[in-house]
Amino acid sequence: ELKVEQNPLFLSMQEGKNYTIYCNYSTTSDRLYWYRQDPGKSLESLFVLLSNGAVKQEGRLMASLDTKARLSTLHITAAVHDLSATYFCAVDETYSGYALNFGKGTSLLVTP
Amino acid sequence: SQTIHQWPATLVQPVGSPLSLECTVEGTSNPNLYWYRQAAGRGLQLLFYSVGIGQISSEVPQNLSASRPQDRQFILSSKKLLLSDSGFYLCAWRSRPQDGELFFGEGSRLTVL
């Protein structure tokens, strides 16, 4: 059974601080996806990592993928309140019509 | 450009009543389509997926069903709702399984009383 584990599940951090969210998965997938969900809203795609060593950055967020370790990280630099949301990582579920299998999500709260 | 629409956005239904949620994708053809459910404060659970018209696969046994009457239309139904059916239902599509991400609709929030 494919497992996708995120940690931490809850994160409260001060503005201006740095932090990393971790995503471990149990398959040999070489692709990983990060999504953001604001309260009461749908999921928005943040990053698509398509190969080992892939690194993508958008503003204060940077995602990386290590397929050998089956690990992806989402690094937050100098957090601001607007980054408060729930972040999900996901991997391909090849036996389910290429659906995505999601982690439980990391709820991030950035406080002044 | 491709778009995906879901409706209704919000509904409150009594236990035992029927349900129909609709999802339509525009700007693409022959997409893979998916229904996910997100219970309050929890992760996403894949309910159904479809790789073509009339082709439906169920991931979780339950009192819900899905249909794909047209290439870009995906419908989630129930004949009799249960309290446990409450949640946030998300439709999603994917056009290139090899390297594309899933794109989600706006979601339908169902409360069963």
Side-chain angles (χ1 to χ4, degrees), chain B residues 8-82:
Chain B
T10 306
L11 65 166
V12 180
Q13 296 286 101
V15 170
S17 64
L19 170 73
S20 181
L21 301 179
E22 191 163 338
C23 171
T24 300
V25 181
E26 297 178 355
T28 188
S29 60
N30 197 29
N32 283 9
L33 296 171
Y34 311 89
W35 279 110
Y36 285 86
R37 178 171 61 197
Q38 186 177 33
R42 301 182 66 179
L44 282 84
Q45 179 187 36
L46 178 65
L47 301 176
F48 301 94
Y49 67 91
S50 172
V51 298
I53 296 175
Q55 301 179 55
I56 308 295
S57 297
S58 173
E59 288 294 300
V60 182
Q62 58 213 328
N63 69 319
L64 299 173
S65 62
S67 62
R68 185 172 177 173
Q70 300 180 40
D71 181 42
R72 293 169 292 171
Q73 185 184 27
F74 207 20
I75 298 172
L76 183 70
S77 304
S78 175
K79 292 182 179 179
K80 289 185 177 182
L81 285 169
L82 306 172

Side-chain angles (χ1 to χ4, degrees), chain A residues 2-45:
Chain A
L2 171 59
K3 293 184 179 180
V4 182
E5 297 182 344
Q6 289 182 236
N7 71 85
L9 297 182
F10 299 96
L11 175 59
S12 179
M13 58 189 297
Q14 287 184 316
E15 285 186 328
K17 299 293 186 181
N18 304 331
Y19 206 83
T20 300
I21 299 171
Y22 297 89
C23 175
N24 291 92
Y25 56 97
S26 61
T27 69
T28 57
S29 176
D30 57 359
R31 296 194 298 266
L32 189 129
Y33 310 81
W34 284 97
Y35 285 82
R36 168 178 172 148
Q37 184 180 36
D38 291 307
K41 302 293 185 180
S42 184
L43 274 73
E44 173 188 1
S45 177

Side-chain angles (χ1 to χ4, degrees), chain A residues 31 33 35 37 40-43 45 48 50 88 92 95-104, chain B residues 32 34 36 38 43-44 46 49 51 59 88 90 94 97-102 104-106 109:
Chain A
R31 296 194 298 266
Y33 310 81
Y35 285 82
Q37 184 180 36
K41 302 293 185 180
S42 184
L43 274 73
S45 177
V48 179
L50 297 176
F88 292 91
D92 289 306
Y95 297 107
S96 298
Y98 285 95
L100 291 185
N101 191 317
F102 287 83
K104 293 184 178 180
Chain B
N32 283 9
Y34 311 89
Y36 285 86
Q38 186 177 33
L44 282 84
L46 178 65
Y49 67 91
V51 298
E59 288 294 300
F88 192 41
L90 290 158
R94 193 175 198 182
Q98 299 307 313
D99 58 12
E101 68 264 52
L102 258 65
F104 285 87
E106 306 95 332
R109 187 165 304 281

